[in-house]
Amino acid sequence: MFRLALKMLLGDRAKYAMLVGGLGFATLLMMQQSAVFVGLMSWTTSHLRNIRAPIWVGDTKVEQANEVKAMRDTEVNRVRSVAGVEWAVPLFFTILQSRLTDGNFKPVMVVGLDTTTLIGRPALMLKGRLADVRLPNAVIIDDLAVQRLSIGRKKPLDVGDQFEINDKEARIVGICKAERHFFGYPYIFTTFDQARLFSPKSRKMLSLVLASPKPGLSAAKVAEAIHQETGLAAYDENRFGWATIWWYVRNTGIPVSFGTTILLGFIVGIVICGQTFYLFVVDNLRHLGALKAMGAGNLTIAAMLLVQAFTVGCIGFGFGAGLTAAFGFAVLDKGMPPFLLPWQLPVFTFVVVMLICMFAALLGILRIWKVEPAIVFRG
Amino acid sequence: MNGDIPSNGPANGSAPNGNGHTLAVHVRGVTKTFGKGEAAVQALKGVDFDVRQGELLMIVGPSGCGKTTLLSVIAGTLEFENGEIDVFGSSLHSLKPREVTAFRKRTVGFIFQQFNLIPTLSLVENVSVPLLINGVKRREAEERSAAMLERLGLKGREHKLPTEFSGGQQQRVAIARALVHEPRMVICDEPTSALDKDTGQQIMEQLRDIARHPERCVIVVTHDNRVFKYADRMTEMEDGRVQRVHDVAARGDRRFDTSFGVTSDG
Ligand SMILES: Nc1ncnc2c1ncn2[C@@H]1O[C@H](COP(=O)(O)OP(=O)(O)OP(=O)(O)O)[C@@H](O)[C@H]1O
Ligand SMILES: [Mg+2]
């Protein structure tokens, strides 16, 4: 019976195309938009993956990873003195203007690493030597900086080239790979002292303290201890990431704007699919009524409609998921717009599409359930 | 009429009536009202009638007299209020809805005025539907359906769609579908009214041959006086009641006088 049910639906080319198209489009809208949203949210936590430390300590008021509230240098020692802390190092972070050859300015994110340990250093060097960053005026720039700051030059920036940060000479000793940041600015890594030389003078020049728990201790526990003893805001890496994401969810219009599009996808799906499927059932009322007359029970008919709905649901989902993946591959190289598709998203979208189909099938089932099989004798 | 028949229907699918015939269908005092209150229409006002095994019974009468309604209640596709209906041992008045569905599945073959074939399914798939509903596996169902189509002269066209065929051919497919699960009662509402004269005659001949089976009956509702001659007996309805039953076959020839000059109490 189910095979015949499918043939009935597939035979109705127009409605079948409409159902698959509508569900595919709904899938695309929901999945692609949530992937871009997740991608964007992951950009807000790029610092955590580009700088890498088990514990992040900032000013009392710091709520998320992209917020800098300068502290006094002495806070590093206070963190070091907390029991359970294996090491703690200073980090300087600021946004400065870099002047291009053509006279334009571009903002860059300057990260000053602890000079002795270089903790917070880039994860992947593409060119040059990390240790050279300790040389006078030396910086390591990421590949985005190469792209952005080379404008107006004959050749792209390379190791050995010089450029200006806040009117001061910077010499490139290395090029690294860094994950793109929400702000969209390139990363410039240098030493703590050098970074402070690039920036305008001010009284407090410590942005963050990076720390690690003693072996065997949990980062979360030690972070809590740091907070208790110093009054500073201290997060383990994982909590800092989620705190950052939630901060953006609460304080920006991003979730609303994406949520609207995703909701739109859901509505498009439910309207097109519900209406088309209902029409399909109404068009086939005579035949479904004849099946009832011939002894097919309501449950059999309901199961047939569910099989039809779930089948178009799967095909439509596959279609939309394919388009989403194609979109993903197309933007992956460029990195714009952000796109991140953790396995939960397709699963979630699939469940939503199935719910839409279930709803559509239910509309049809309600319609056919009450039909007296005797209608087949009426003209 | 027929007061000699006990009202507690046949126990075992067959019961002799007063004239020595074995009854297939036994209907007593059946009423059916559509709607409620002012708008209520009483379509059946206490119908009594019988169908014998091995006969083709026609139900005739003016439009709106309740023929389709009667056919629907006998077939178990419509609930009725009062009265008793026994069909080959199933007492429809005492069955639960689920049991009525099972009754239709096993016992009734349907032929509709508009053929009602599913246009996106091939002939053999259309014919196999009653078997599939009865739980027969697809392979066997399609083999039996193909054999049935062959018997009705549609060999070699099993995999074509119904829309490629004429009305008469489609109605033959519908007959194949009505017979494939070997039901004991075949129900037809206006089977020839959508067909031309010659095709209608062929279809009726086929239906009459089907009825020539000791454990079966065919009930045909029709307006079409060109096919009256194929009836064994005719039940004439008027205003929700059975008025007369004509014993056509008893006259010795199969041509029936459409003036209803003959009266008989069956
Ligand atoms: N579903 C329904 N709701 C309300 N009234 C109905 C319904 N079905 C039939 N009727 C009424 O019941 C009466 C008998 O109808 P039925 O269809 O049984 O007549 P019929 O003899 O088959 O007529 P025809 O020859 O035109 O097919 C008519 O008055 C009809 O209007
Ligand atoms: Mg009628």
Side-chain angles (χ1 to χ4, degrees), chain A residues 77-94:
Chain A
N77 287 324
R78 292 183 63 212
V79 174
R80 275 179 192 144
S81 67
V82 174
V85 172
E86 170 86 351
W87 49 255
V89 296
L91 187 87
F92 181 71
F93 176 86
T94 190

PDB file of all heavy atoms in Angstrom, chain A residues 77-94:
ATOM      1  N   ASN A  77      50.955  39.751  39.531  1.00  0.00           N
ATOM      2  CA  ASN A  77      51.525  39.129  40.723  1.00  0.00           C
ATOM      3  C   ASN A  77      50.456  38.654  41.688  1.00  0.00           C
ATOM      4  O   ASN A  77      50.606  37.627  42.338  1.00  0.00           O
ATOM      5  CB  ASN A  77      52.462  40.111  41.416  1.00  0.00           C
ATOM      6  CG  ASN A  77      53.736  40.265  40.602  1.00  0.00           C
ATOM      7  OD1 ASN A  77      54.200  39.281  40.009  1.00  0.00           O
ATOM      8  ND2 ASN A  77      54.249  41.490  40.523  1.00  0.00           N
ATOM      9  N   ARG A  78      49.357  39.388  41.774  1.00  0.00           N
ATOM     10  CA  ARG A  78      48.274  38.959  42.663  1.00  0.00           C
ATOM     11  C   ARG A  78      47.695  37.623  42.181  1.00  0.00           C
ATOM     12  O   ARG A  78      47.401  36.743  42.976  1.00  0.00           O
ATOM     13  CB  ARG A  78      47.176  40.019  42.727  1.00  0.00           C
ATOM     14  CG  ARG A  78      47.633  41.302  43.425  1.00  0.00           C
ATOM     15  CD  ARG A  78      46.485  42.289  43.538  1.00  0.00           C
ATOM     16  NE  ARG A  78      45.404  41.808  44.356  1.00  0.00           N
ATOM     17  CZ  ARG A  78      44.119  42.113  44.164  1.00  0.00           C
ATOM     18  NH1 ARG A  78      43.779  42.899  43.159  1.00  0.00           N
ATOM     19  NH2 ARG A  78      43.198  41.644  44.964  1.00  0.00           N
ATOM     20  N   VAL A  79      47.564  37.493  40.852  1.00  0.00           N
ATOM     21  CA  VAL A  79      47.035  36.230  40.319  1.00  0.00           C
ATOM     22  C   VAL A  79      48.024  35.102  40.594  1.00  0.00           C
ATOM     23  O   VAL A  79      47.656  34.004  41.009  1.00  0.00           O
ATOM     24  CB  VAL A  79      46.748  36.349  38.810  1.00  0.00           C
ATOM     25  CG1 VAL A  79      46.340  34.994  38.223  1.00  0.00           C
ATOM     26  CG2 VAL A  79      45.675  37.398  38.555  1.00  0.00           C
ATOM     27  N   ARG A  80      49.340  35.401  40.382  1.00  0.00           N
ATOM     28  CA  ARG A  80      50.358  34.377  40.606  1.00  0.00           C
ATOM     29  C   ARG A  80      50.335  33.852  42.030  1.00  0.00           C
ATOM     30  O   ARG A  80      50.651  32.686  42.281  1.00  0.00           O
ATOM     31  CB  ARG A  80      51.754  34.951  40.329  1.00  0.00           C
ATOM     32  CG  ARG A  80      52.116  34.876  38.866  1.00  0.00           C
ATOM     33  CD  ARG A  80      53.476  35.451  38.591  1.00  0.00           C
ATOM     34  NE  ARG A  80      53.654  35.605  37.158  1.00  0.00           N
ATOM     35  CZ  ARG A  80      54.314  36.595  36.588  1.00  0.00           C
ATOM     36  NH1 ARG A  80      54.892  37.533  37.335  1.00  0.00           N
ATOM     37  NH2 ARG A  80      54.424  36.654  35.282  1.00  0.00           N
ATOM     38  N   SER A  81      49.955  34.726  42.962  1.00  0.00           N
ATOM     39  CA  SER A  81      50.035  34.330  44.365  1.00  0.00           C
ATOM     40  C   SER A  81      48.841  33.493  44.812  1.00  0.00           C
ATOM     41  O   SER A  81      48.818  32.991  45.928  1.00  0.00           O
ATOM     42  CB  SER A  81      50.161  35.576  45.248  1.00  0.00           C
ATOM     43  OG  SER A  81      48.950  36.300  45.169  1.00  0.00           O
ATOM     44  N   VAL A  82      47.854  33.320  43.937  1.00  0.00           N
ATOM     45  CA  VAL A  82      46.703  32.485  44.327  1.00  0.00           C
ATOM     46  C   VAL A  82      47.122  31.015  44.300  1.00  0.00           C
ATOM     47  O   VAL A  82      47.763  30.562  43.353  1.00  0.00           O
ATOM     48  CB  VAL A  82      45.517  32.717  43.359  1.00  0.00           C
ATOM     49  CG1 VAL A  82      44.386  31.751  43.661  1.00  0.00           C
ATOM     50  CG2 VAL A  82      45.048  34.160  43.428  1.00  0.00           C
ATOM     51  N   ALA A  83      46.750  30.295  45.351  1.00  0.00           N
ATOM     52  CA  ALA A  83      47.098  28.877  45.421  1.00  0.00           C
ATOM     53  C   ALA A  83      46.438  28.140  44.269  1.00  0.00           C
ATOM     54  O   ALA A  83      45.299  28.433  43.921  1.00  0.00           O
ATOM     55  CB  ALA A  83      46.620  28.301  46.756  1.00  0.00           C
ATOM     56  N   GLY A  84      47.160  27.200  43.663  1.00  0.00           N
ATOM     57  CA  GLY A  84      46.575  26.442  42.559  1.00  0.00           C
ATOM     58  C   GLY A  84      46.940  27.004  41.209  1.00  0.00           C
ATOM     59  O   GLY A  84      46.706  26.369  40.189  1.00  0.00           O
ATOM     60  N   VAL A  85      47.520  28.207  41.176  1.00  0.00           N
ATOM     61  CA  VAL A  85      47.914  28.783  39.886  1.00  0.00           C
ATOM     62  C   VAL A  85      49.320  28.313  39.543  1.00  0.00           C
ATOM     63  O   VAL A  85      50.251  28.505  40.312  1.00  0.00           O
ATOM     64  CB  VAL A  85      47.865  30.323  39.928  1.00  0.00           C
ATOM     65  CG1 VAL A  85      48.462  30.923  38.655  1.00  0.00           C
ATOM     66  CG2 VAL A  85      46.424  30.791  40.120  1.00  0.00           C
ATOM     67  N   GLU A  86      49.454  27.644  38.401  1.00  0.00           N
ATOM     68  CA  GLU A  86      50.756  27.149  37.975  1.00  0.00           C
ATOM     69  C   GLU A  86      51.613  28.292  37.426  1.00  0.00           C
ATOM     70  O   GLU A  86      52.739  28.497  37.811  1.00  0.00           O
ATOM     71  CB  GLU A  86      50.528  26.086  36.888  1.00  0.00           C
ATOM     72  CG  GLU A  86      51.768  25.616  36.164  1.00  0.00           C
ATOM     73  CD  GLU A  86      52.467  24.484  36.901  1.00  0.00           C
ATOM     74  OE1 GLU A  86      52.063  24.202  38.051  1.00  0.00           O
ATOM     75  OE2 GLU A  86      53.409  23.903  36.344  1.00  0.00           O
ATOM     76  N   TRP A  87      51.030  29.054  36.509  1.00  0.00           N
ATOM     77  CA  TRP A  87      51.704  30.228  36.001  1.00  0.00           C
ATOM     78  C   TRP A  87      50.664  31.281  35.641  1.00  0.00           C
ATOM     79  O   TRP A  87      49.485  30.967  35.448  1.00  0.00           O
ATOM     80  CB  TRP A  87      52.609  29.955  34.821  1.00  0.00           C
ATOM     81  CG  TRP A  87      52.026  29.131  33.675  1.00  0.00           C
ATOM     82  CD1 TRP A  87      52.307  27.834  33.408  1.00  0.00           C
ATOM     83  CD2 TRP A  87      51.107  29.578  32.659  1.00  0.00           C
ATOM     84  NE1 TRP A  87      51.614  27.400  32.310  1.00  0.00           N
ATOM     85  CE2 TRP A  87      50.871  28.460  31.824  1.00  0.00           C
ATOM     86  CE3 TRP A  87      50.471  30.774  32.382  1.00  0.00           C
ATOM     87  CZ2 TRP A  87      50.017  28.500  30.724  1.00  0.00           C
ATOM     88  CZ3 TRP A  87      49.621  30.824  31.276  1.00  0.00           C
ATOM     89  CH2 TRP A  87      49.400  29.702  30.461  1.00  0.00           C
ATOM     90  N   ALA A  88      51.103  32.542  35.578  1.00  0.00           N
ATOM     91  CA  ALA A  88      50.231  33.636  35.143  1.00  0.00           C
ATOM     92  C   ALA A  88      51.099  34.641  34.416  1.00  0.00           C
ATOM     93  O   ALA A  88      52.185  34.980  34.882  1.00  0.00           O
ATOM     94  CB  ALA A  88      49.532  34.286  36.330  1.00  0.00           C
ATOM     95  N   VAL A  89      50.650  35.068  33.234  1.00  0.00           N
ATOM     96  CA  VAL A  89      51.443  36.008  32.428  1.00  0.00           C
ATOM     97  C   VAL A  89      50.556  37.154  31.957  1.00  0.00           C
ATOM     98  O   VAL A  89      49.348  36.986  31.824  1.00  0.00           O
ATOM     99  CB  VAL A  89      52.075  35.307  31.200  1.00  0.00           C
ATOM    100  CG1 VAL A  89      53.073  34.244  31.630  1.00  0.00           C
ATOM    101  CG2 VAL A  89      50.987  34.726  30.310  1.00  0.00           C
ATOM    102  N   PRO A  90      51.169  38.310  31.713  1.00  0.00           N
ATOM    103  CA  PRO A  90      50.385  39.457  31.270  1.00  0.00           C
ATOM    104  C   PRO A  90      50.095  39.378  29.776  1.00  0.00           C
ATOM    105  O   PRO A  90      50.835  38.751  29.015  1.00  0.00           O
ATOM    106  CB  PRO A  90      51.306  40.633  31.570  1.00  0.00           C
ATOM    107  CG  PRO A  90      52.682  40.069  31.448  1.00  0.00           C
ATOM    108  CD  PRO A  90      52.611  38.641  31.895  1.00  0.00           C
ATOM    109  N   LEU A  91      49.009  39.992  29.348  1.00  0.00           N
ATOM    110  CA  LEU A  91      48.709  40.116  27.931  1.00  0.00           C
ATOM    111  C   LEU A  91      48.230  41.538  27.699  1.00  0.00           C
ATOM    112  O   LEU A  91      47.436  42.080  28.465  1.00  0.00           O
ATOM    113  CB  LEU A  91      47.618  39.126  27.521  1.00  0.00           C
ATOM    114  CG  LEU A  91      47.356  39.081  26.012  1.00  0.00           C
ATOM    115  CD1 LEU A  91      48.315  38.086  25.348  1.00  0.00           C
ATOM    116  CD2 LEU A  91      45.931  38.688  25.703  1.00  0.00           C
ATOM    117  N   PHE A  92      48.771  42.141  26.636  1.00  0.00           N
ATOM    118  CA  PHE A  92      48.319  43.474  26.279  1.00  0.00           C
ATOM    119  C   PHE A  92      47.548  43.355  24.972  1.00  0.00           C
ATOM    120  O   PHE A  92      47.957  42.653  24.044  1.00  0.00           O
ATOM    121  CB  PHE A  92      49.514  44.416  26.108  1.00  0.00           C
ATOM    122  CG  PHE A  92      49.117  45.814  25.758  1.00  0.00           C
ATOM    123  CD1 PHE A  92      48.496  46.634  26.707  1.00  0.00           C
ATOM    124  CD2 PHE A  92      49.343  46.325  24.483  1.00  0.00           C
ATOM    125  CE1 PHE A  92      48.120  47.927  26.378  1.00  0.00           C
ATOM    126  CE2 PHE A  92      48.967  47.625  24.163  1.00  0.00           C
ATOM    127  CZ  PHE A  92      48.356  48.426  25.109  1.00  0.00           C
ATOM    128  N   PHE A  93      46.429  44.044  24.919  1.00  0.00           N
ATOM    129  CA  PHE A  93      45.601  43.931  23.723  1.00  0.00           C
ATOM    130  C   PHE A  93      45.028  45.302  23.407  1.00  0.00           C
ATOM    131  O   PHE A  93      44.499  45.989  24.283  1.00  0.00           O
ATOM    132  CB  PHE A  93      44.461  42.947  23.961  1.00  0.00           C
ATOM    133  CG  PHE A  93      43.526  42.858  22.802  1.00  0.00           C
ATOM    134  CD1 PHE A  93      43.792  41.997  21.749  1.00  0.00           C
ATOM    135  CD2 PHE A  93      42.394  43.657  22.731  1.00  0.00           C
ATOM    136  CE1 PHE A  93      42.948  41.939  20.663  1.00  0.00           C
ATOM    137  CE2 PHE A  93      41.552  43.596  21.639  1.00  0.00           C
ATOM    138  CZ  PHE A  93      41.828  42.732  20.599  1.00  0.00           C
ATOM    139  N   THR A  94      45.173  45.728  22.149  1.00  0.00           N
ATOM    140  CA  THR A  94      44.602  47.023  21.797  1.00  0.00           C
ATOM    141  C   THR A  94      44.322  47.077  20.302  1.00  0.00           C
ATOM    142  O   THR A  94      44.830  46.248  19.522  1.00  0.00           O
ATOM    143  CB  THR A  94      45.557  48.163  22.200  1.00  0.00           C
ATOM    144  OG1 THR A  94      44.872  49.412  22.054  1.00  0.00           O
ATOM    145  CG2 THR A  94      46.799  48.178  21.329  1.00  0.00           C
TER     146      THR A  94
END
